[in-house]
Amino acid sequence: MKNFNSLFLNRRAFLGGLGASAISLAGARRLRAAETGDVIVLGAGLAGLYSAMLLEELGFKVRLVEASDHVGGRVQTRNFGGTLHELGASDIGAMYARVLDMMRRLNLERVPSSISVRPFSYHVGGQLVSAEDWANAQVNRTVGDERAIAPARLESTLLNQHNPLKELDDWLSPDYASLDMPIGKFLRDKGTSEEAIRLLGHTYNGIGMNRTSALAQFRDTTRTQFGIRAFMAMKEQGQAVAPLSQVAGGIQRLPEAMAASLKTEIHFGKAAASIRQDAGGVELSCVDGTRYRGDFLVAAIPFTSLRNIEITPNLSPLKAAATAQLPYYAVTKFYLRPKTRFWEADGFEPTMWSDSQLERVFAMTDDTGEVHTLLVWMTGQGSRRIDQFDTAAATRRVLDLIGEIRPASRGQLEVMGHHSWGHTPFIGGCGLSYSAGQVNRFAADLPNPEGRIHFAGEHTRRREPGMESAMASAERVMGEILQAS
């Protein structure tokens, strides 16, 4: 576990590690900030907000521009039926050192995750099966040792079993370049049955078993393994730590508190139209005609948005291709309130894993264990299919699917909310998913700046997962701009 300690470098240690040369650069930057001094930060998600915070602390004058009317990006909390629900980022892991440090800095309380850990019931081949009956069920068409692996555990079990990566940076090593193949092909070559591959493909965060890069999947598996080791190490040291947690009042409180700590005003409703850079700086033009000019620009937005912005001069061929071609997987969620405990009629758990378009249903409970919400969570192809309908038709489709599987649910579910990241303006997906061959082609150079344009966000990640990777990218961008200054 080399480099283990580096995962827990907090923000203050990072800033201190920049050394005297960085401090002198920052001092020089303060002296001329009033003359030339703007850094434009495009996007007010975690990466953009943290970039703005760090640059402000070093004396830069920042202009933070956001296309929507709120901060947070894919960190969004909504109140449905009197209960707070996370639309995007849902949990804070043990490896989220920067996120946890920011919470302490902004006096935000950490609370346990609200996602239920109840066992799944399994709906496969049109039949409901309990978790304990799965191994011997007639609808279980996996083979050999696979039969003992419940569908919800196929991804973690098979990827952990076959993962050759040992360190967090191994996915970028030429030694593992041959793994940049479709994950389905990799598993077939390892003897995995077609049925296990089919079931695995229903609920993982990707763009299809015949498209998603195995190397990218093993990258995420390695991160999860390190997170588990980190959690166990902290627990052995007597630290009071939960494997997954949230922010009291909703995770969106984090970006809101970060925004409130800034000196700069956030310019909302400013959808970017073009970016032009020259020897003297960078100019951002917005759809409404507003223009911003600065010495540097931080593009802290997903490629799904960046690819719609005209950039002059053109990005390098490799960066332009990455921006245009890298796909994003989708996530669509429905929040349902059960009027009765209808699941008691069929004797199966309210939580459910399905090989239908429905995919997964999570039971969310209160402090007494009472189920207050059933969360339908669709990813990948299931999400893409349901997103072809408008909200009303999609909702009817979900209720009909649940009713077909569990007739007692008919008329017993109230729809409280619905959210599609594929349909969310200026975002257009939940996360970047490398297709086979794209890790080798794009990953190593993806975070690199292009002239005065710097790139931040989870999609530029190297080692860290989730929200932590967005925060880490802001620290990298800060270092790049200091050096360029």
Side-chain angles (χ1 to χ4, degrees):
M1 267 178 84
K2 71 181 181 183
N3 297 325
F4 178 84
N5 290 331
S6 67
L7 298 173
F8 300 96
L9 284 175
N10 64 26
R11 170 185 156 279
R12 294 175 182 83
F14 177 85
L15 292 175
L18 287 172
S21 61
I23 298 302
S24 64
L25 275 172
R29 190 68 181 83
R30 287 192 191 97
L31 293 177
R32 59 188 182 90
E35 299 176 18
T36 61
D38 292 334
V39 177
I40 304 166
V41 177
L42 181 57
L46 290 183
L49 289 166
Y50 193 32
S51 295
M53 291 177 70
L54 291 171
L55 292 167
E56 274 194 352
E57 290 174 6
L58 291 173
F60 289 84
K61 182 179 178 182
V62 177
R63 289 178 177 174
L64 182 51
V65 181
E66 166 60 39
S68 73
D69 61 359
H70 56 266
V71 299
R74 283 170 289 161
V75 180
Q76 296 295 322
T77 306
R78 293 290 183 271
N79 188 318
F80 296 136
T83 302
L84 295 177
H85 296 281
E86 305 300 342
L87 303 185
S90 56
D91 291 294
I92 299 166
M95 288 175 65
Y96 285 33
R98 296 169 181 85
V99 174
L100 293 170
D101 182 68
M102 184 60 66
M103 288 175 61
R104 286 189 290 269
R105 177 183 176 185
L106 299 175
N107 297 314
L108 296 173
E109 181 185 357
R110 187 182 184 189
V111 296
S113 172
S114 62
I115 295 292
S116 171
V117 293
R118 300 172 72 130
F120 280 109
S121 50
Y122 291 97
H123 171 253
V124 175
Q127 182 177 333
L128 265 175
V129 178
S130 66
E132 56 267 28
D133 292 337
W134 171 255
N136 298 311
Q138 186 175 358
V139 293
N140 181 354
R141 296 193 297 274
T142 60
V143 299
D145 293 342
E146 298 170 353
R147 292 185 60 83
I149 308 171
R153 294 191 294 105
L154 276 170
E155 180 180 4
S156 60
T157 301
L158 292 177
L159 294 186
N160 278 316
Q161 176 183 338
H162 296 300
N163 183 17
L165 308 185
K166 304 301 181 185
E167 302 294 338
L168 291 169
D169 294 324
D170 281 351
W171 71 292
L172 296 173
S173 169
D175 295 341
Y176 299 99
S178 62
L179 297 176
D180 196 13
M181 67 172 74
I183 183 63
K185 181 182 186 309
F186 175 90
L187 291 173
R188 288 184 188 95
D189 291 348
K190 292 295 183 180
T192 305
S193 71
E194 288 298 326
E195 179 67 359
I197 293 171
R198 182 186 77 85
L199 293 175
L200 192 159
H202 267 278
T203 56
Y204 82 111
N205 292 333
I207 52 174
M209 297 299 288
N210 294 323
R211 291 182 62 196
T212 304
S213 168
L215 185 53
Q217 292 298 107
F218 288 132
R219 170 202 64 180
D220 293 341
T221 299
T222 304
R223 289 172 178 154
T224 301
Q225 292 170 342
F226 268 71
I228 293 171
R229 294 176 206 170
F231 168 70
M232 297 305 297
M234 288 186 283
K235 199 170 182 181
E236 289 173 3
Q237 293 169 5
Q239 298 185 39
V241 58
L244 295 174
S245 57
Q246 295 175 328
V247 178
I251 296 180
Q252 193 176 352
R253 302 293 82 76
L254 174 60
E256 289 175 348
M258 293 169 70
S261 74
L262 290 170
K263 300 174 185 176
T264 186
E265 172 191 0
I266 301 177
H267 300 260
F268 289 108
K270 302 296 182 182
S274 65
I275 298 170
R276 178 181 295 272
Q277 62 172 320
D278 53 39
V282 186
E283 183 172 287
L284 170 69
S285 297
C286 297
V287 173
D288 66 0
T290 308
R291 295 184 179 184
Y292 301 92
R293 188 166 180 84
D295 292 339
F296 304 97
L297 182 141
V298 177
I301 58 175
F303 283 162
T304 45
S305 288
L306 189 63
R307 66 185 55 151
N308 296 320
I309 300 171
E310 181 182 5
I311 301 177
T312 307
N314 292 335
L315 296 175
S316 65
L318 193 65
K319 184 63 69 68
T323 301
Q325 297 173 19
L326 284 170
Y328 280 61
Y329 68 89
V331 169
T332 305
K333 298 180 180 180
F334 296 82
Y335 300 84
L336 312 175
R337 184 181 70 83
K339 300 175 184 178
T340 62
R341 299 179 182 177
F342 65 83
W343 50 88
E344 294 179 350
D346 57 35
F348 290 96
E349 284 284 345
T351 52
M352 185 169 62
W353 188 103
S354 175
D355 67 349
S356 72
Q357 187 178 353
L358 198 64
E359 295 191 347
R360 286 173 294 181
V361 179
F362 293 95
M364 305 183 73
T365 59
D366 59 23
D367 293 339
T368 68
E370 187 69 25
V371 177
H372 59 72
T373 303
L374 293 181
L375 168 59
V376 178
W377 192 320
M378 300 178 180
T379 62
Q381 297 306 309
S383 178
R384 296 293 186 196
R385 288 193 292 270
I386 203 71
D387 281 354
Q388 295 178 42
F389 299 94
D390 62 30
T391 300
T395 301
R396 287 195 301 271
R397 177 64 178 155
V398 166
L399 293 178
D400 287 345
L401 282 168
I402 297 175
E404 291 170 9
I405 299 169
R406 312 185 77 155
S409 71
R410 290 174 177 150
Q412 302 304 312
L413 289 170
E414 175 189 348
V415 180
M416 298 184 295
H418 159 255
H419 185 77
S420 164
W421 284 110
H423 281 172
T424 302
F426 312 114
I427 295 181
C430 196
L432 187 150
S433 179
Y434 285 100
S435 292
Q438 290 183 333
V439 173
N440 291 338
R441 186 181 180 194
F442 297 130
D445 296 322
L446 199 64
N448 295 344
E450 295 261 327
R452 295 175 177 271
I453 302 174
H454 299 260
F455 301 90
E458 182 186 9
H459 54 286
T460 67
R461 65 189 183 185
R462 292 291 183 83
R463 309 176 81 228
E464 298 82 4
M467 290 184 284
E468 184 71 5
S469 63
M471 304 285 279
S473 74
E475 293 178 348
R476 170 181 49 76
V477 161
M478 180 191 67
E480 290 170 358
I481 291 176
L482 278 175
Q483 184 176 11
S485 297

